[in-house]
Every structure is written in C-alpha cells, then in structure tokens.
Amino acid sequence: MRYAILIEKAINNYSAYVPDLPGCVATGATPQEIDEQIKEAIAFHLEGLREEGLPIPEPTSLCKYVEA
C-alpha cells in the first residue's frame, strides 16, 4: 500500500505523520532520515494492527499543492 505522509520542519529536526494511520509518526534530522523513519513507523504500525486483529486502513488521503 502507498500512504500519504506529511512532513513538517521543526526548530531542530523534521517530523512526519500519516493521516490515514492515526498515531503513526516519526522524527528525523533530515528529510532523507524522515523517509527511512516513517517507512519503519508505517511497517511497525501495520504489524501492530495485524497482531491485534484490527482492520488495515486503506490509503485515502490525497496530497496537493496550491498557489497562494
């Protein structure tokens, strides 16, 4: 599955979360590190859902940029 992620710049690092997987978050020093960390977080999150017998949410979030 392919999930949308949102990456935000903080003061000293970056953070990311997955809108379709509430509670699935990661932090990293660089955007490249965030890519690795959020992939691991998603895998861990989905594994936990499977172990608990809970449904795996379908990816539904869309990402889009708009000019302002």
Side-chain angles (χ1 to χ4, degrees):
M1 286 193 226
R2 187 175 178 199
Y3 288 99
I5 65 169
L6 181 65
I7 301 171
E8 297 176 335
K9 174 72 174 117
I11 294 172
N12 296 316
N13 66 344
Y14 291 85
S15 63
Y17 68 92
V18 185
D20 292 321
L21 301 174
C24 186
V25 299
T27 62
T30 65
Q32 295 78 15
E33 187 176 342
I34 278 291
D35 286 349
E36 296 170 21
Q37 296 297 326
I38 199 67
K39 286 177 187 176
E40 290 178 18
I42 291 169
F44 183 74
H45 193 89
L46 296 178
E47 180 181 324
L49 292 173
R50 287 185 192 102
E51 286 179 5
E52 295 293 323
L54 298 172
I56 304 297
E58 290 292 322
T60 59
S61 295
L62 302 174
C63 298
K64 186 175 184 178
Y65 285 92
V66 295
E67 295 293 326

